[in-house]
Amino acid sequence: MLVGALDTVLDSNARVTPFRILLQVPGSAVTWIIASGASLEEVKSHWCWLEVNLLDSLHVFENKEDIASFVNGKIKGLIADESGGQQDPEGSREVAVRLEQRFGLPPCERLIAQLTCCLWKSHVPRQGWLYLTHHHLAFYSYLLGKEVKVLIPWAEVTDVERVCVGRVTEVLRVSSRGRHRDFSMFLDTHDAVATITQLADLTLRTVLPHAGLRTPHTLIHTPLTKRALEEHRLTQEVLCVFGLPRRESVCEVRVCALWTPHLRAHTHGTLYTTHSYLCFSSRDTGVCSLLIPLSEVLSVEKAESSSVLPDPVIVSVRGRRAFQMVGVCERDTLLHALTDRLRTLRWTHAIYKGQHTQHTPTISATPYYTFCYDTDGEADGSQRHVISTRPLISLHQSAMPKHKSALERRKEALWQEHFEEFGRGVHMFRTAHLHKLVAMGIPESLRAELWLTLSDAGSEMAWHPGYYAELVTRSLGEVTVATEEIERDLHRSLPEHPAFQSQSGIDALRRVLRAYAHHNTHIGYCQSMNIVASVLLLYAREEEVFWLLVTICERMLPDYFNRQVIGAQVDQSVFEALLCERVPDVGQTRAECALASVTLSWFLTLFLSALPLASGLVVLDSFLCRGAPAIFQLALCVTHTHTHTLTASTDEGHALMVLSSFLEQVRHDEEECVCLDDGAGPAEHTHITALLKEAYERFGDITATQLEQLRSRHRITVLQSHEDTTKENALRLVTPEVSLSVEELSDLYDFIKTEHLMSVYWGDGVCVSGVCSEGYQLDLPQFKSVYAALSPWEQGLHTDTVARRTFTLLDQSNNNLLTFTQIAHWLDTLYCEDLNVKIKWLYRLHIPPALMDSEDDSSPLKSPLLSTARPLQVDRPNGESGYEEQLKQMLKDLAKEKEKDADKPLPPMTQREFIQFCKTLSNMFHGDAEESELFQAIAMVTSLLLQIGEAGQRGPGAGPGAGPEGEVALCDWTVSLAQILASLLTEPALVSFFERPAHLRARIATATQRQYQHRAATLDLEHASG
């Protein structure tokens, strides 16, 4: 033993680690290795993890053997989870097969990740496996003889958050409609939260098309895997931090050091390369960042390595500037990729310029003036598209006061010093000094240049010369919903400013907004875009304003300006969450104060509608420099300033008045500061620069990366809120029209939604169903599944035929889609109406248009049941034979009811249609408890109706044995709805069958349990036949 111990400690090749944590049940000689480490520090870190994630949850077990079993299972799961990242096709296939068997999912449901964790059930942790698939979250556990299964579609997830439950601090709570599940003891809780949030967010983007959100381009043509999700997550963070176009994706990530002349040293950080940009971010947040469009790069070269400068790379850009990076790992690979990208970019740019050189934009050095307003654009249409090349402020500004002129000169001098030290243009070094200068307000002479530089809109404009002029020409005379909304809002844009009291300003704004609506038809036009564009037009040329608007709407505030303003609602939800965390006193009373109604306009108009113009311009400067964090920080600071007032507020109007009056008093440094009352807050808050400074100092740790993570989570809640609203609207429309209860309609809506979602998940790519204002719509294959599951009448092999006829009859608009309202009306007829209405519905299913002439009739014309040669012999109980008198009386009663009915009378049924009608009735009775009585009854009714039809064609004097004349009249044989209904009423068994109560909610509950299994079986059959 001593020799073995010495070998273990001294032999460097020994496989046994010197430090281990063992699990042993008291009184037992058996031990298990729980953790091991090569050093004391390593094994201590393992012990800390066990204390935080495992030990606190062991008190719920009653005996030591259960504790040992639980801990062993947990550790084995962690080991398997840790090694799951390696490529193991056989192991992955085994996991996928187990997933299919346990949850009944089809093979096409892609498994993304498998994690080991615990599900808390009745305060007891259940160790098991968490399966994350393309469309579902599934958990399976088999512990101590008990099996636990949980299957949650991502489309039903309403929230994903980290919470504390008792002593367990790291709990991942997944909420769905009606309940939530708590998971814990992940190997990496942060990664689990990020992956689950991503999958739920991506699924909701796909299955809820009414939200107007698009699937990220990086995942459209890429198989969805764990690695693809991680790459997408990194790309989204980089796009948000640097404000890059959404079409970009991260290509390479390299750790390196950038030479920063203003620091006289190399700054360590990370280099990110995309298809069109080089981005650098310092290791320490806020020290330095750099953005270099590849269109500005002249060359990328490697220099000679040395001990001081290892693996250096030199990036030369326009303006005789160069950037040096050292310590670049895999330098040759990076240089080769960048060289190829530069070559492709220049070739593409040359082709674009060649295609657009022939187009000469219509540009005027001075704006065209007109003194009439023509909304149709006919009289002055030839002049309205003349593009101005001067900012509007230069045409409507009086002489600048001396004190303001001196202040502008001082600012310009500060910016010139900044340019000399940090560079000028889009590739300037971006530091805290830049943010401080911007917060002071950009000089008017530099505002347009710096707006384009800080937002990188200038790169897009340089890359697309003449594009704006083409859009102006194309949008001439175009009449759409967007153009009509633009015309309504033109005179609401800064109406107090002289620039928009003249026709030149209105025309310039019209051209910009119309051009953008033509450029991005997915957004078109949204209210508040006119406010932002009008302010931009004051200091920038039209073409510059257009590209600034593109940058704001598509890069800096994506999804803000669509029809549903989803992006703005998501940010409102994020703002409320930050308010609860950072300003808890106000956050706890936000429901009473309804702050969302006040703050929504702050985010949509970037505070331009809430602040005086001069102060709003400073906020706009900061936003274009720092992005969305600047708006969040300012909103939180304004709210924090009025904590006491808002907590005492009990109504929305008072909160609105307090915040609005405060913002109206905020002035720029060059203006006179006036405090109207003591409730406006501290005096320094009336200066916008001081307000921005305090916002940055107090809430500067809110970064773009943090906001993007919060947006992913809160987007799930907002999208589900929209889905709930759609459902409520659909139920509200249909409830007054049917006899079904609200609970039955709600269950039906959810069942139809699941049917639609399964087609989206595992369809063949030709599904045309979707969502409208009345809820979900189903095509024919989907409706067949719903019919087979919910119809109260079994049809056997005849089910598909009757379902198709039902679909045809319900599809009154002939668009091959059925709405939720139509399906609800159909089920209301089958479950809630009386016998007469049900028979009328069956009758309509067997006449045109439901029954088409081309439909194949497989039934023999002269079957024993339907043979017209058989005389009518109906044996009544107790020897009664007065059926003819009863039939005449029923016909008279039905005739009276028919007179009251305002509906158009239904055409009579031909013999071919009647045969199909009888076939449907026969199939309905298979498997019924009273099958024999029902078949006997339908035989009597059929014989009676055949006899009535033949008698009607032969005339009143003809008898049952009319001979050959009866056969000649077969082609004109008909029977009416009244005759069929009267005949069916003579049979108590049939009356009892159709009046038998049926419970739709129980039927839906049963069908829901088998819905996935049925779809999986259908896909298996399709795969086998294919």
Side-chain angles (χ1 to χ4, degrees):
M1 181 179 294
L2 177 61
V3 174
L6 290 174
D7 287 341
T8 300
V9 175
L10 300 177
D11 187 4
S12 60
N13 296 321
R15 295 181 179 273
V16 180
T17 52
F19 299 96
R20 288 174 289 174
I21 299 174
L22 303 180
L23 171 66
Q24 183 180 25
V25 177
S28 173
V30 180
T31 59
W32 296 272
I33 299 177
I34 300 302
S36 60
S39 63
L40 183 60
E41 290 75 14
E42 183 180 358
V43 82
K44 281 184 177 180
S45 66
H46 294 327
W47 179 254
C48 291
W49 188 94
L50 291 172
E51 284 184 324
V52 173
N53 295 278
L54 197 63
L55 297 184
D56 286 340
S57 60
L58 300 182
H59 68 280
V60 299
F61 295 100
E62 296 180 357
N63 56 70
K64 301 178 178 59
E65 288 74 15
D66 291 346
I67 293 177
S69 176
F70 173 78
V71 174
N72 262 316
K74 179 64 182 176
I75 299 302
K76 290 179 180 178
L78 290 175
I79 294 172
D81 194 14
E82 179 68 17
S83 60
Q86 301 178 359
Q87 297 295 330
D88 183 11
E90 293 298 329
S92 300
R93 181 56 192 158
E94 290 179 4
V95 173
V97 170
R98 287 198 298 269
L99 177 66
E100 298 166 16
Q101 294 174 347
R102 290 168 177 172
F103 297 96
L105 299 176
C108 55
E109 179 72 359
R110 181 188 294 273
L111 178 64
I112 306 299
Q114 179 190 19
L115 308 174
T116 178
C117 66
C118 290
L119 170 66
W120 288 84
K121 195 173 181 65
S122 301
H123 304 288
V124 177
R126 291 283 180 178
Q127 172 63 33
W129 292 100
L130 186 67
Y131 303 95
L132 307 181
T133 72
H134 195 169
H135 303 107
H136 296 83
L137 178 149
F139 177 84
Y140 180 83
S141 172
Y142 187 83
L143 187 65
L144 304 177
K146 294 183 179 181
E147 186 179 52
V148 177
K149 288 184 181 181
V150 175
L151 183 65
I152 309 174
W154 294 124
E156 296 299 319
V157 173
T158 58
D159 195 8
V160 180
E161 58 181 335
R162 298 171 76 164
V163 297
C164 298
V165 179
R167 299 182 182 180
V168 183
T169 58
E170 291 291 330
V171 174
L172 192 161
R173 174 166 292 174
V174 179
S175 302
S176 58
R177 289 181 173 84
R179 64 177 305 178
H180 60 261
R181 278 99 172 174
D182 293 335
F183 302 91
S184 66
M185 302 186 190
F186 291 94
L187 186 63
D188 188 345
T189 305
H190 177 76
D191 180 71
V193 172
T195 304
I196 291 175
T197 304
Q198 273 187 291
L199 287 170
D201 181 22
L202 292 173
T203 300
L204 290 173
R205 286 172 176 266
T206 304
V207 303
L208 301 181
H210 60 280
L213 300 182
R214 297 178 177 179
T215 302
H217 76 283
T218 53
L219 298 175
I220 293 179
H221 302 294
T222 304
L224 196 61
T225 61
K226 184 67 165 59
R227 182 174 180 179
L229 288 176
E230 293 172 351
E231 292 176 352
H232 171 67
R233 194 187 312 159
L234 174 63
T235 294
Q236 291 301 112
E237 291 180 1
V238 172
L239 296 187
C240 290
V241 170
F242 295 97
L244 303 183
R246 296 288 147 174
R247 64 176 181 271
E248 296 293 320
S249 57
V250 175
C251 299
E252 294 93 14
V253 180
R254 297 288 189 273
V255 176
C256 63
L258 173 69
W259 173 253
T260 47
H262 57 281
L263 297 176
R264 303 294 189 270
H266 283 92
T267 301
H268 292 273
T270 306
L271 174 69
Y272 304 94
T273 69
T274 70
H275 295 294
S276 306
Y277 290 87
L278 292 176
C279 311
F280 176 85
S281 177
S282 60
R283 181 189 302 167
D284 299 327
T285 305
V287 173
C288 176
S289 64
L290 181 66
L291 179 66
I292 307 176
L294 289 183
S295 57
E296 296 287 315
V297 175
L298 298 178
S299 65
V300 181
E301 303 170 328
K302 62 179 180 180
E304 184 177 351
S305 296
S306 65
S307 57
V308 180
L309 302 175
D311 298 322
V313 173
I314 307 298
V315 180
S316 302
V317 299
R318 303 179 192 276
R320 298 181 179 180
R321 295 191 66 195
F323 300 92
Q324 182 193 70
M325 303 174 192
V326 300
V328 182
C329 58
E330 299 182 10
R331 179 179 60 168
D332 294 339
T333 304
L334 177 64
L335 289 177
H336 179 72
L338 289 176
T339 302
D340 288 345
R341 222 167 286 149
L342 278 172
R343 188 183 301 112
T344 303
L345 200 66
R346 290 167 182 168
W347 178 74
T348 305
H349 188 50
I351 292 178
Y352 181 88
K353 290 184 66 176
Q355 291 176 346
H356 291 76
T357 51
Q358 57 185 355
H359 301 288
T360 303
T362 307
I363 298 178
S364 172
T366 57
Y368 179 80
Y369 287 86
T370 180
F371 298 97
C372 63
Y373 178 68
D374 178 16
T375 57
D376 295 331
E378 295 178 359
D380 300 316
S382 60
Q383 298 293 337
R384 266 196 193 150
H385 69 285
V386 177
I387 301 173
S388 173
T389 59
R390 295 174 61 185
L392 295 180
I393 196 70
S394 64
L395 305 172
H396 301 276
Q397 188 179 38
S398 57
M400 187 179 297
K402 291 184 178 180
H403 73 279
K404 183 176 180 182
S405 178
L407 181 61
E408 286 289 301
R409 287 195 298 271
R410 289 199 298 271
K411 289 182 180 179
E412 290 173 359
L414 291 175
W415 276 98
Q416 291 300 329
E417 295 175 2
H418 178 83
F419 292 150
E420 293 175 1
E421 185 175 2
F422 297 92
R424 189 167 188 168
V426 66
H427 36 67
M428 72 168 68
F429 290 101
R430 307 187 184 211
T431 64
H433 185 265
L434 173 66
H435 299 162
K436 189 179 299 183
L437 276 181
V438 171
M440 294 171 59
I442 299 176
E444 291 185 2
S445 59
L446 298 174
R447 186 158 264 149
E449 175 192 344
L450 287 173
W451 280 353
L452 293 170
T453 296
L454 298 175
S455 66
D456 188 44
S459 300
E460 291 287 317
M461 184 175 67
W463 181 254
H464 300 90
Y467 179 64
Y468 172 69
E470 291 181 13
L471 289 176
V472 171
T473 303
R474 292 178 194 170
S475 61
L476 286 176
E478 190 177 49
V479 179
T480 62
V481 175
T483 59
E484 293 175 356
E485 293 177 352
I486 289 171
E487 292 297 328
R488 286 198 297 267
D489 288 347
L490 284 177
H491 293 275
R492 304 173 186 170
S493 309
L494 295 186
E496 72 283 354
H497 199 282
F500 295 98
Q501 294 173 357
S502 67
Q503 193 62 31
S504 59
I506 296 296
D507 287 344
L509 182 59
R510 175 187 291 110
R511 287 190 292 268
V512 170
L513 294 177
R514 277 175 167 261
Y516 185 81
H518 192 86
H519 160 76
N520 190 337
T521 55
H522 181 69
I523 293 179
Y525 171 76
C526 179
Q527 284 188 345
S528 75
M529 289 173 62
N530 60 318
I531 302 296
V532 177
S534 59
V535 174
L536 294 173
L537 277 169
L538 294 177
Y539 294 94
R541 297 183 295 112
E542 279 185 41
E543 185 177 14
E544 296 170 342
V545 170
F546 169 78
W547 288 110
L548 284 168
L549 198 61
V550 170
T551 302
I552 292 173
C553 295
E554 300 175 12
R555 292 166 60 170
M556 306 184 76
L557 298 175
D559 304 322
Y560 254 62
F561 300 100
N562 57 19
R563 291 290 175 184
Q564 305 289 344
V565 290
I566 295 293
Q569 294 184 47
V570 171
D571 276 3
Q572 283 297 294
S573 182
V574 172
F575 175 69
E576 290 184 4
L578 291 173
L579 205 61
C580 292
E581 177 185 347
R582 310 299 292 271
V583 194
D585 292 338
V586 177
Q588 293 173 0
T589 60
R590 70 186 189 281
E592 291 78 6
C593 295
L595 288 180
S597 61
V598 183
T599 59
L600 181 60
S601 64
W602 297 355
F603 286 81
L604 281 173
T605 64
L606 308 176
F607 280 91
L608 294 174
S609 63
L611 290 168
L613 180 59
S615 302
L617 284 168
V618 180
V619 176
L620 183 60
D621 296 340
S622 296
F623 168 75
L624 292 174
C625 177
R626 298 196 290 118
I631 303 299
F632 277 93
Q633 292 162 10
L634 179 58
L636 288 170
C637 185
V638 171
T639 310
H640 179 268
T641 302
H642 296 84
T643 298
H644 178 71
T645 306
L646 292 176
T647 52
S649 175
T650 57
D651 62 277
E652 176 182 343
H654 184 250
L656 175 62
M657 181 183 66
V658 169
L659 295 175
S660 298
S661 60
F662 169 77
L663 291 174
E664 289 172 358
Q665 299 166 28
V666 176
R667 295 291 185 267
H668 194 20
D669 290 332
E670 62 206 37
E671 298 175 327
E672 182 181 358
C673 298
V674 180
C675 279
L676 298 182
D677 53 56
D678 297 334
E684 64 268 16
H685 289 173
T686 59
H687 296 78
I688 185 61
T689 301
L691 188 60
L692 289 173
K693 179 182 179 181
E694 180 180 347
Y696 184 76
E697 291 176 349
R698 189 179 296 274
F699 304 104
D701 57 332
I702 298 175
T703 62
T705 301
Q706 180 185 359
L707 288 179
E708 184 60 25
Q709 294 171 354
L710 289 172
R711 283 169 172 170
S712 296
R713 174 195 161 192
H714 287 272
R715 191 181 296 113
I716 298 172
T717 305
V718 171
L719 291 177
Q720 292 290 16
S721 176
H722 275 263
E723 173 62 14
D724 292 340
T725 302
T726 302
K727 178 179 178 178
E728 291 172 2
N729 292 338
L731 297 183
R732 186 175 63 252
L733 288 174
V734 75
T735 298
E737 303 175 357
V738 298
S739 301
L740 296 173
S741 66
V742 176
E743 293 77 12
E744 289 173 327
L745 290 173
S746 178
D747 292 346
L748 174 62
Y749 186 96
D750 294 338
F751 186 84
I752 293 175
K753 174 184 175 180
T754 302
E755 192 65 36
H756 164 77
L757 294 181
M758 288 192 300
S759 296
V760 175
Y761 297 160
W762 311 311
D764 54 5
V766 297
C767 173
V768 295
S769 64
V771 185
C772 65
S773 60
E774 300 179 17
Y776 286 89
Q777 302 179 105
L778 301 184
D779 57 14
L780 178 57
Q782 295 168 331
F783 178 74
K784 286 182 177 180
S785 299
V786 172
Y787 183 94
L790 302 184
S791 175
W793 303 327
E794 301 293 339
Q795 300 291 336
L797 299 177
H798 202 50
T799 301
D800 276 4
T801 302
V802 180
R804 179 180 49 75
R805 294 175 188 167
T806 303
F807 185 89
T808 303
L809 190 58
L810 292 174
D811 185 20
Q812 299 176 357
S813 57
N814 296 322
N815 62 350
N816 295 321
L817 290 173
L818 294 184
T819 65
F820 168 73
T821 301
Q822 292 170 323
I823 297 174
H825 278 284
W826 163 64
L827 289 174
D828 182 62
T829 299
L830 301 189
Y831 281 87
C832 301
E833 295 292 351
D834 57 18
L835 181 144
N836 293 354
V837 179
K838 294 178 182 178
I839 298 302
K840 183 178 180 180
W841 175 259
L842 284 173
Y843 185 91
R844 293 178 64 193
L845 288 179
H846 297 85
I847 60 175
L851 181 66
M852 297 176 288
D853 294 336
S854 59
E855 186 171 327
D856 185 25
D857 182 12
S858 59
S859 302
L861 182 60
K862 292 188 177 182
S863 62
L865 176 65
L866 301 178
S867 174
T868 58
R870 288 176 52 189
L872 178 60
Q873 298 290 338
V874 181
D875 296 329
R876 305 296 297 173
N878 301 324
E880 298 178 3
S881 60
Y883 69 91
E884 293 182 355
E885 288 77 13
Q886 297 177 15
L887 181 59
K888 290 179 181 179
Q889 184 62 37
M890 290 178 183
L891 290 175
K892 290 180 182 179
D893 295 340
L894 288 172
K896 293 180 181 179
E897 293 181 5
K898 187 176 180 180
E899 291 176 359
K900 300 178 183 179
D901 190 5
D903 293 342
K904 183 179 178 180
L906 295 173
M909 185 179 286
T910 65
Q911 188 179 55
R912 171 181 171 272
E913 296 163 355
F914 178 69
I915 292 172
Q916 293 295 321
F917 178 80
C918 294
K919 182 178 180 180
T920 300
L921 290 178
S922 300
N923 282 280
M924 288 169 56
F925 305 144
H926 281 294
D928 193 89
E930 302 177 358
E931 181 177 354
S932 59
E933 293 83 356
L934 290 171
F935 275 120
Q936 183 180 2
I938 195 60
M940 293 180 181
V941 170
T942 302
S943 299
L944 175 60
L945 288 172
L946 286 171
Q947 193 72 19
I948 292 174
E950 291 180 355
Q953 292 303 312
R954 289 197 301 269
E965 291 80 10
E967 295 181 0
V968 174
L970 281 178
C971 60
D972 298 323
W973 187 98
T974 60
V975 66
S976 67
L977 171 63
Q979 293 169 336
I980 291 177
L981 184 57
S983 302
L984 289 173
L985 289 174
T986 62
E987 293 296 332
L990 294 177
V991 174
S992 176
F993 176 81
F994 284 106
E995 290 185 347
R996 185 184 303 166
H999 303 285
L1000 176 59
R1001 201 170 186 190
R1003 184 91 178 190
I1004 293 176
T1006 304
T1008 301
Q1009 295 176 358
R1010 302 194 301 260
Q1011 203 168 7
Y1012 271 41
Q1013 287 77 5
H1014 285 174
R1015 177 53 66 97
T1018 302
L1019 292 174
D1020 290 341
L1021 289 175
E1022 293 176 355
H1023 180 72
S1025 61

